[in-house]
Every structure is written in C-alpha cells, then in structure tokens.
Amino acid sequence: MSEATERANELGNILDTSLRSIIETGDGNFRPYDRYGVVLPGMSWLPLSLNAEEKLDLFLLRFEPGAQSYPHEHTAAEQFLMMEGTLTDCDGHVFKAGDFVRFEPGSTHHSASEGGCLILVILRNPNRPLTA
C-alpha cells in the first residue's frame, strides 16, 4: 500500500456520496451537436454541466475528421482545452492537444479538424451564429 493510500485511510471517509456525480465520458453518450438549432455534420457533444442559472456550460465537443464548426460570435468569453487531435481556426492557426484557448467576447471565427479532435469547452453564454 502506498504512503498516500495509507494516509487517506487514516483520515477516514468523510464523503457524502450523494453530493458527487460521475459522468462516464468514454461510453458513447455523445449526441449530435445541435446548439445552433441545426445538427452540424461530424460534430457531437457530451454535456457535463449545463447551468442556466449561472450561465455556465461545460461540455466535451468532438469533431470527426473533416468536420467544421458554424461561423459564430462569442457573446461572452469561450475557453477550451484541446484534449486530442488538432483543430485549425479560420486564420490558419492550428490548436493541438494540450493547448488551452480563450476567445474574448465579441470575437468571431469558425474552425475545422482535418483528422478529428476532442475539446473540453467552458462557455459562459451561448454563441451567436453568423451567416456563412
């Protein structure tokens, strides 16, 4: 038994498990990405925490190879962590796994993934779709 495990056992269980939730992210519960009112081909998402009261959404977003996002404006800051793959923004910048990206309110863009990617998205307000 490791020293850390021994120490944890000494401290005892103080957790109320009714206050913990677990979402299995690898079990295929992704659904078609439809946050603009239409399903975007090759994109799917898995809501982790959607809190309308605090206007804070946290979700996983998957781009299949060749998928592209809809042009949109950020009405509040959007942040995301590239977890797998690469994503190319409309200016040609390539985000890779491990990059943490922040778009400021008022920024506009669209992105595509040639080989597919997985992103953890933190969004304060819904994005505003733009006409392509």
Side-chain angles (χ1 to χ4, degrees), residues 29-56:
N29 284 332
F30 281 74
R31 58 189 197 209
Y33 190 69
D34 59 357
R35 289 182 53 109
Y36 294 113
V38 296
V39 172
L40 295 181
M43 293 180 66
S44 58
W45 71 307
L46 177 62
L48 300 174
S49 178
L50 304 178
N51 190 328
E53 185 177 304
E54 293 180 17
K55 295 184 179 178
L56 180 64

PDB file of all heavy atoms in Angstrom, residues 29-56:
ATOM      1  N   ASN A  29     -21.942   8.263 -24.985  1.00  0.00           N
ATOM      2  CA  ASN A  29     -23.143   9.058 -24.762  1.00  0.00           C
ATOM      3  C   ASN A  29     -23.133  10.399 -25.486  1.00  0.00           C
ATOM      4  O   ASN A  29     -23.955  11.258 -25.201  1.00  0.00           O
ATOM      5  CB  ASN A  29     -23.358   9.296 -23.258  1.00  0.00           C
ATOM      6  CG  ASN A  29     -23.892   8.068 -22.568  1.00  0.00           C
ATOM      7  OD1 ASN A  29     -24.565   7.249 -23.176  1.00  0.00           O
ATOM      8  ND2 ASN A  29     -23.585   7.922 -21.298  1.00  0.00           N
ATOM      9  N   PHE A  30     -22.205  10.585 -26.402  1.00  0.00           N
ATOM     10  CA  PHE A  30     -22.187  11.817 -27.187  1.00  0.00           C
ATOM     11  C   PHE A  30     -23.428  11.856 -28.060  1.00  0.00           C
ATOM     12  O   PHE A  30     -23.913  10.841 -28.528  1.00  0.00           O
ATOM     13  CB  PHE A  30     -20.936  11.867 -28.077  1.00  0.00           C
ATOM     14  CG  PHE A  30     -19.686  12.271 -27.352  1.00  0.00           C
ATOM     15  CD1 PHE A  30     -19.053  11.386 -26.493  1.00  0.00           C
ATOM     16  CD2 PHE A  30     -19.143  13.524 -27.532  1.00  0.00           C
ATOM     17  CE1 PHE A  30     -17.902  11.749 -25.816  1.00  0.00           C
ATOM     18  CE2 PHE A  30     -17.988  13.901 -26.863  1.00  0.00           C
ATOM     19  CZ  PHE A  30     -17.370  13.012 -26.001  1.00  0.00           C
ATOM     20  N   ARG A  31     -23.948  13.062 -28.265  1.00  0.00           N
ATOM     21  CA  ARG A  31     -25.124  13.221 -29.114  1.00  0.00           C
ATOM     22  C   ARG A  31     -24.815  14.249 -30.194  1.00  0.00           C
ATOM     23  O   ARG A  31     -23.881  15.045 -30.054  1.00  0.00           O
ATOM     24  CB  ARG A  31     -26.330  13.603 -28.281  1.00  0.00           C
ATOM     25  CG  ARG A  31     -26.183  14.865 -27.487  1.00  0.00           C
ATOM     26  CD  ARG A  31     -27.358  15.024 -26.545  1.00  0.00           C
ATOM     27  NE  ARG A  31     -27.457  16.378 -26.053  1.00  0.00           N
ATOM     28  CZ  ARG A  31     -27.962  16.692 -24.884  1.00  0.00           C
ATOM     29  NH1 ARG A  31     -28.425  15.761 -24.097  1.00  0.00           N
ATOM     30  NH2 ARG A  31     -28.028  17.951 -24.505  1.00  0.00           N
ATOM     31  N   PRO A  32     -25.611  14.261 -31.274  1.00  0.00           N
ATOM     32  CA  PRO A  32     -25.340  15.209 -32.361  1.00  0.00           C
ATOM     33  C   PRO A  32     -25.293  16.647 -31.839  1.00  0.00           C
ATOM     34  O   PRO A  32     -26.115  17.042 -31.005  1.00  0.00           O
ATOM     35  CB  PRO A  32     -26.518  15.003 -33.316  1.00  0.00           C
ATOM     36  CG  PRO A  32     -26.972  13.602 -33.049  1.00  0.00           C
ATOM     37  CD  PRO A  32     -26.738  13.388 -31.573  1.00  0.00           C
ATOM     38  N   TYR A  33     -24.330  17.421 -32.327  1.00  0.00           N
ATOM     39  CA  TYR A  33     -24.151  18.801 -31.879  1.00  0.00           C
ATOM     40  C   TYR A  33     -25.193  19.678 -32.556  1.00  0.00           C
ATOM     41  O   TYR A  33     -25.165  19.889 -33.763  1.00  0.00           O
ATOM     42  CB  TYR A  33     -22.741  19.284 -32.191  1.00  0.00           C
ATOM     43  CG  TYR A  33     -22.416  20.613 -31.546  1.00  0.00           C
ATOM     44  CD1 TYR A  33     -22.281  20.727 -30.166  1.00  0.00           C
ATOM     45  CD2 TYR A  33     -22.251  21.751 -32.309  1.00  0.00           C
ATOM     46  CE1 TYR A  33     -21.986  21.936 -29.569  1.00  0.00           C
ATOM     47  CE2 TYR A  33     -21.939  22.975 -31.716  1.00  0.00           C
ATOM     48  CZ  TYR A  33     -21.817  23.052 -30.353  1.00  0.00           C
ATOM     49  OH  TYR A  33     -21.532  24.260 -29.751  1.00  0.00           O
ATOM     50  N   ASP A  34     -26.118  20.205 -31.784  1.00  0.00           N
ATOM     51  CA  ASP A  34     -27.262  20.943 -32.321  1.00  0.00           C
ATOM     52  C   ASP A  34     -27.499  22.271 -31.609  1.00  0.00           C
ATOM     53  O   ASP A  34     -28.605  22.792 -31.595  1.00  0.00           O
ATOM     54  CB  ASP A  34     -28.516  20.084 -32.220  1.00  0.00           C
ATOM     55  CG  ASP A  34     -28.826  19.681 -30.780  1.00  0.00           C
ATOM     56  OD1 ASP A  34     -28.036  20.012 -29.860  1.00  0.00           O
ATOM     57  OD2 ASP A  34     -29.860  19.021 -30.570  1.00  0.00           O
ATOM     58  N   ARG A  35     -26.462  22.838 -31.030  1.00  0.00           N
ATOM     59  CA  ARG A  35     -26.644  24.052 -30.226  1.00  0.00           C
ATOM     60  C   ARG A  35     -26.968  25.294 -31.054  1.00  0.00           C
ATOM     61  O   ARG A  35     -27.286  26.334 -30.498  1.00  0.00           O
ATOM     62  CB  ARG A  35     -25.423  24.289 -29.354  1.00  0.00           C
ATOM     63  CG  ARG A  35     -25.347  23.244 -28.236  1.00  0.00           C
ATOM     64  CD  ARG A  35     -24.196  23.453 -27.318  1.00  0.00           C
ATOM     65  NE  ARG A  35     -24.099  24.761 -26.743  1.00  0.00           N
ATOM     66  CZ  ARG A  35     -24.325  25.054 -25.468  1.00  0.00           C
ATOM     67  NH1 ARG A  35     -24.709  24.114 -24.635  1.00  0.00           N
ATOM     68  NH2 ARG A  35     -24.154  26.277 -25.020  1.00  0.00           N
ATOM     69  N   TYR A  36     -26.899  25.223 -32.376  1.00  0.00           N
ATOM     70  CA  TYR A  36     -27.281  26.354 -33.232  1.00  0.00           C
ATOM     71  C   TYR A  36     -28.669  26.151 -33.834  1.00  0.00           C
ATOM     72  O   TYR A  36     -29.072  26.860 -34.731  1.00  0.00           O
ATOM     73  CB  TYR A  36     -26.260  26.561 -34.344  1.00  0.00           C
ATOM     74  CG  TYR A  36     -24.907  26.983 -33.834  1.00  0.00           C
ATOM     75  CD1 TYR A  36     -23.804  26.148 -33.953  1.00  0.00           C
ATOM     76  CD2 TYR A  36     -24.723  28.217 -33.219  1.00  0.00           C
ATOM     77  CE1 TYR A  36     -22.558  26.524 -33.479  1.00  0.00           C
ATOM     78  CE2 TYR A  36     -23.485  28.601 -32.739  1.00  0.00           C
ATOM     79  CZ  TYR A  36     -22.420  27.749 -32.871  1.00  0.00           C
ATOM     80  OH  TYR A  36     -21.183  28.125 -32.394  1.00  0.00           O
ATOM     81  N   GLY A  37     -29.388  25.135 -33.361  1.00  0.00           N
ATOM     82  CA  GLY A  37     -30.724  24.866 -33.877  1.00  0.00           C
ATOM     83  C   GLY A  37     -30.726  23.892 -35.042  1.00  0.00           C
ATOM     84  O   GLY A  37     -31.781  23.486 -35.492  1.00  0.00           O
ATOM     85  N   VAL A  38     -29.560  23.540 -35.553  1.00  0.00           N
ATOM     86  CA  VAL A  38     -29.424  22.533 -36.601  1.00  0.00           C
ATOM     87  C   VAL A  38     -28.268  21.618 -36.199  1.00  0.00           C
ATOM     88  O   VAL A  38     -27.354  22.030 -35.487  1.00  0.00           O
ATOM     89  CB  VAL A  38     -29.133  23.154 -37.990  1.00  0.00           C
ATOM     90  CG1 VAL A  38     -30.295  24.002 -38.470  1.00  0.00           C
ATOM     91  CG2 VAL A  38     -27.861  23.956 -37.975  1.00  0.00           C
ATOM     92  N   VAL A  39     -28.323  20.378 -36.651  1.00  0.00           N
ATOM     93  CA  VAL A  39     -27.244  19.435 -36.367  1.00  0.00           C
ATOM     94  C   VAL A  39     -26.083  19.727 -37.309  1.00  0.00           C
ATOM     95  O   VAL A  39     -26.271  19.841 -38.519  1.00  0.00           O
ATOM     96  CB  VAL A  39     -27.727  17.979 -36.552  1.00  0.00           C
ATOM     97  CG1 VAL A  39     -26.579  17.006 -36.449  1.00  0.00           C
ATOM     98  CG2 VAL A  39     -28.805  17.653 -35.518  1.00  0.00           C
ATOM     99  N   LEU A  40     -24.894  19.909 -36.746  1.00  0.00           N
ATOM    100  CA  LEU A  40     -23.704  20.132 -37.565  1.00  0.00           C
ATOM    101  C   LEU A  40     -23.080  18.777 -37.895  1.00  0.00           C
ATOM    102  O   LEU A  40     -22.732  18.017 -36.993  1.00  0.00           O
ATOM    103  CB  LEU A  40     -22.701  21.019 -36.837  1.00  0.00           C
ATOM    104  CG  LEU A  40     -23.169  22.452 -36.576  1.00  0.00           C
ATOM    105  CD1 LEU A  40     -22.079  23.245 -35.861  1.00  0.00           C
ATOM    106  CD2 LEU A  40     -23.549  23.141 -37.871  1.00  0.00           C
ATOM    107  N   PRO A  41     -22.947  18.450 -39.179  1.00  0.00           N
ATOM    108  CA  PRO A  41     -22.409  17.148 -39.574  1.00  0.00           C
ATOM    109  C   PRO A  41     -21.013  16.916 -39.001  1.00  0.00           C
ATOM    110  O   PRO A  41     -20.158  17.804 -39.009  1.00  0.00           O
ATOM    111  CB  PRO A  41     -22.352  17.225 -41.104  1.00  0.00           C
ATOM    112  CG  PRO A  41     -23.267  18.341 -41.481  1.00  0.00           C
ATOM    113  CD  PRO A  41     -23.272  19.295 -40.323  1.00  0.00           C
ATOM    114  N   GLY A  42     -20.793  15.717 -38.481  1.00  0.00           N
ATOM    115  CA  GLY A  42     -19.472  15.335 -37.986  1.00  0.00           C
ATOM    116  C   GLY A  42     -19.121  15.884 -36.626  1.00  0.00           C
ATOM    117  O   GLY A  42     -17.992  15.716 -36.166  1.00  0.00           O
ATOM    118  N   MET A  43     -20.053  16.547 -35.966  1.00  0.00           N
ATOM    119  CA  MET A  43     -19.791  17.096 -34.638  1.00  0.00           C
ATOM    120  C   MET A  43     -20.778  16.496 -33.643  1.00  0.00           C
ATOM    121  O   MET A  43     -21.963  16.338 -33.939  1.00  0.00           O
ATOM    122  CB  MET A  43     -19.901  18.618 -34.635  1.00  0.00           C
ATOM    123  CG  MET A  43     -18.813  19.295 -35.451  1.00  0.00           C
ATOM    124  SD  MET A  43     -18.954  21.099 -35.457  1.00  0.00           S
ATOM    125  CE  MET A  43     -18.633  21.474 -33.748  1.00  0.00           C
ATOM    126  N   SER A  44     -20.260  16.157 -32.447  1.00  0.00           N
ATOM    127  CA  SER A  44     -21.114  15.641 -31.387  1.00  0.00           C
ATOM    128  C   SER A  44     -20.632  16.213 -30.066  1.00  0.00           C
ATOM    129  O   SER A  44     -19.505  16.695 -29.954  1.00  0.00           O
ATOM    130  CB  SER A  44     -21.094  14.112 -31.372  1.00  0.00           C
ATOM    131  OG  SER A  44     -19.782  13.625 -31.212  1.00  0.00           O
ATOM    132  N   TRP A  45     -21.512  16.164 -29.068  1.00  0.00           N
ATOM    133  CA  TRP A  45     -21.162  16.751 -27.775  1.00  0.00           C
ATOM    134  C   TRP A  45     -21.715  15.919 -26.631  1.00  0.00           C
ATOM    135  O   TRP A  45     -22.662  15.159 -26.790  1.00  0.00           O
ATOM    136  CB  TRP A  45     -21.612  18.191 -27.708  1.00  0.00           C
ATOM    137  CG  TRP A  45     -23.089  18.459 -27.612  1.00  0.00           C
ATOM    138  CD1 TRP A  45     -24.084  17.992 -28.436  1.00  0.00           C
ATOM    139  CD2 TRP A  45     -23.738  19.276 -26.659  1.00  0.00           C
ATOM    140  NE1 TRP A  45     -25.299  18.485 -28.043  1.00  0.00           N
ATOM    141  CE2 TRP A  45     -25.115  19.281 -26.953  1.00  0.00           C
ATOM    142  CE3 TRP A  45     -23.293  20.026 -25.579  1.00  0.00           C
ATOM    143  CZ2 TRP A  45     -26.047  19.983 -26.208  1.00  0.00           C
ATOM    144  CZ3 TRP A  45     -24.232  20.737 -24.839  1.00  0.00           C
ATOM    145  CH2 TRP A  45     -25.581  20.710 -25.157  1.00  0.00           C
ATOM    146  N   LEU A  46     -21.079  16.087 -25.480  1.00  0.00           N
ATOM    147  CA  LEU A  46     -21.492  15.422 -24.263  1.00  0.00           C
ATOM    148  C   LEU A  46     -21.553  16.477 -23.161  1.00  0.00           C
ATOM    149  O   LEU A  46     -20.520  16.942 -22.684  1.00  0.00           O
ATOM    150  CB  LEU A  46     -20.503  14.317 -23.881  1.00  0.00           C
ATOM    151  CG  LEU A  46     -20.795  13.584 -22.570  1.00  0.00           C
ATOM    152  CD1 LEU A  46     -22.138  12.856 -22.635  1.00  0.00           C
ATOM    153  CD2 LEU A  46     -19.684  12.603 -22.264  1.00  0.00           C
ATOM    154  N   PRO A  47     -22.774  16.911 -22.793  1.00  0.00           N
ATOM    155  CA  PRO A  47     -22.894  17.892 -21.711  1.00  0.00           C
ATOM    156  C   PRO A  47     -22.357  17.318 -20.408  1.00  0.00           C
ATOM    157  O   PRO A  47     -22.673  16.186 -20.043  1.00  0.00           O
ATOM    158  CB  PRO A  47     -24.396  18.143 -21.612  1.00  0.00           C
ATOM    159  CG  PRO A  47     -24.966  17.679 -22.923  1.00  0.00           C
ATOM    160  CD  PRO A  47     -24.080  16.557 -23.359  1.00  0.00           C
ATOM    161  N   LEU A  48     -21.535  18.078 -19.722  1.00  0.00           N
ATOM    162  CA  LEU A  48     -21.009  17.688 -18.417  1.00  0.00           C
ATOM    163  C   LEU A  48     -21.712  18.477 -17.323  1.00  0.00           C
ATOM    164  O   LEU A  48     -22.051  17.943 -16.276  1.00  0.00           O
ATOM    165  CB  LEU A  48     -19.499  17.920 -18.357  1.00  0.00           C
ATOM    166  CG  LEU A  48     -18.691  17.140 -19.396  1.00  0.00           C
ATOM    167  CD1 LEU A  48     -17.232  17.564 -19.350  1.00  0.00           C
ATOM    168  CD2 LEU A  48     -18.838  15.645 -19.186  1.00  0.00           C
ATOM    169  N   SER A  49     -21.930  19.772 -17.564  1.00  0.00           N
ATOM    170  CA  SER A  49     -22.612  20.631 -16.612  1.00  0.00           C
ATOM    171  C   SER A  49     -23.213  21.797 -17.385  1.00  0.00           C
ATOM    172  O   SER A  49     -22.487  22.617 -17.931  1.00  0.00           O
ATOM    173  CB  SER A  49     -21.623  21.142 -15.562  1.00  0.00           C
ATOM    174  OG  SER A  49     -22.267  22.017 -14.665  1.00  0.00           O
ATOM    175  N   LEU A  50     -24.533  21.847 -17.442  1.00  0.00           N
ATOM    176  CA  LEU A  50     -25.230  22.949 -18.095  1.00  0.00           C
ATOM    177  C   LEU A  50     -25.991  23.689 -17.009  1.00  0.00           C
ATOM    178  O   LEU A  50     -26.952  23.172 -16.462  1.00  0.00           O
ATOM    179  CB  LEU A  50     -26.183  22.442 -19.174  1.00  0.00           C
ATOM    180  CG  LEU A  50     -25.565  21.563 -20.268  1.00  0.00           C
ATOM    181  CD1 LEU A  50     -26.643  21.093 -21.243  1.00  0.00           C
ATOM    182  CD2 LEU A  50     -24.467  22.305 -21.002  1.00  0.00           C
ATOM    183  N   ASN A  51     -25.538  24.896 -16.672  1.00  0.00           N
ATOM    184  CA  ASN A  51     -26.119  25.627 -15.561  1.00  0.00           C
ATOM    185  C   ASN A  51     -26.698  26.944 -16.078  1.00  0.00           C
ATOM    186  O   ASN A  51     -25.993  27.948 -16.163  1.00  0.00           O
ATOM    187  CB  ASN A  51     -25.056  25.877 -14.488  1.00  0.00           C
ATOM    188  CG  ASN A  51     -25.651  26.424 -13.216  1.00  0.00           C
ATOM    189  OD1 ASN A  51     -26.636  27.151 -13.241  1.00  0.00           O
ATOM    190  ND2 ASN A  51     -25.042  26.077 -12.100  1.00  0.00           N
ATOM    191  N   ALA A  52     -27.970  26.922 -16.438  1.00  0.00           N
ATOM    192  CA  ALA A  52     -28.627  28.106 -16.979  1.00  0.00           C
ATOM    193  C   ALA A  52     -28.638  29.252 -15.973  1.00  0.00           C
ATOM    194  O   ALA A  52     -28.509  30.418 -16.353  1.00  0.00           O
ATOM    195  CB  ALA A  52     -30.048  27.770 -17.416  1.00  0.00           C
ATOM    196  N   GLU A  53     -28.778  28.938 -14.694  1.00  0.00           N
ATOM    197  CA  GLU A  53     -28.823  29.978 -13.663  1.00  0.00           C
ATOM    198  C   GLU A  53     -27.517  30.773 -13.619  1.00  0.00           C
ATOM    199  O   GLU A  53     -27.519  31.991 -13.531  1.00  0.00           O
ATOM    200  CB  GLU A  53     -29.096  29.335 -12.303  1.00  0.00           C
ATOM    201  CG  GLU A  53     -29.282  30.336 -11.191  1.00  0.00           C
ATOM    202  CD  GLU A  53     -29.622  29.637  -9.884  1.00  0.00           C
ATOM    203  OE1 GLU A  53     -30.613  28.877  -9.862  1.00  0.00           O
ATOM    204  OE2 GLU A  53     -28.905  29.865  -8.905  1.00  0.00           O
ATOM    205  N   GLU A  54     -26.399  30.091 -13.692  1.00  0.00           N
ATOM    206  CA  GLU A  54     -25.100  30.759 -13.673  1.00  0.00           C
ATOM    207  C   GLU A  54     -24.585  31.082 -15.071  1.00  0.00           C
ATOM    208  O   GLU A  54     -23.519  31.657 -15.224  1.00  0.00           O
ATOM    209  CB  GLU A  54     -24.073  29.887 -12.941  1.00  0.00           C
ATOM    210  CG  GLU A  54     -24.352  29.727 -11.478  1.00  0.00           C
ATOM    211  CD  GLU A  54     -23.315  28.860 -10.789  1.00  0.00           C
ATOM    212  OE1 GLU A  54     -22.233  28.645 -11.364  1.00  0.00           O
ATOM    213  OE2 GLU A  54     -23.590  28.414  -9.672  1.00  0.00           O
ATOM    214  N   LYS A  55     -25.353  30.693 -16.091  1.00  0.00           N
ATOM    215  CA  LYS A  55     -24.950  30.880 -17.489  1.00  0.00           C
ATOM    216  C   LYS A  55     -23.555  30.318 -17.729  1.00  0.00           C
ATOM    217  O   LYS A  55     -22.688  30.979 -18.302  1.00  0.00           O
ATOM    218  CB  LYS A  55     -25.028  32.343 -17.901  1.00  0.00           C
ATOM    219  CG  LYS A  55     -26.426  32.905 -17.898  1.00  0.00           C
ATOM    220  CD  LYS A  55     -26.444  34.320 -18.407  1.00  0.00           C
ATOM    221  CE  LYS A  55     -27.857  34.858 -18.416  1.00  0.00           C
ATOM    222  NZ  LYS A  55     -27.926  36.223 -18.861  1.00  0.00           N
ATOM    223  N   LEU A  56     -23.352  29.086 -17.294  1.00  0.00           N
ATOM    224  CA  LEU A  56     -22.062  28.436 -17.460  1.00  0.00           C
ATOM    225  C   LEU A  56     -22.281  27.012 -17.953  1.00  0.00           C
ATOM    226  O   LEU A  56     -22.944  26.217 -17.293  1.00  0.00           O
ATOM    227  CB  LEU A  56     -21.288  28.407 -16.135  1.00  0.00           C
ATOM    228  CG  LEU A  56     -19.925  27.737 -16.198  1.00  0.00           C
ATOM    229  CD1 LEU A  56     -18.983  28.512 -17.117  1.00  0.00           C
ATOM    230  CD2 LEU A  56     -19.338  27.609 -14.811  1.00  0.00           C
TER     231      LEU A  56
END
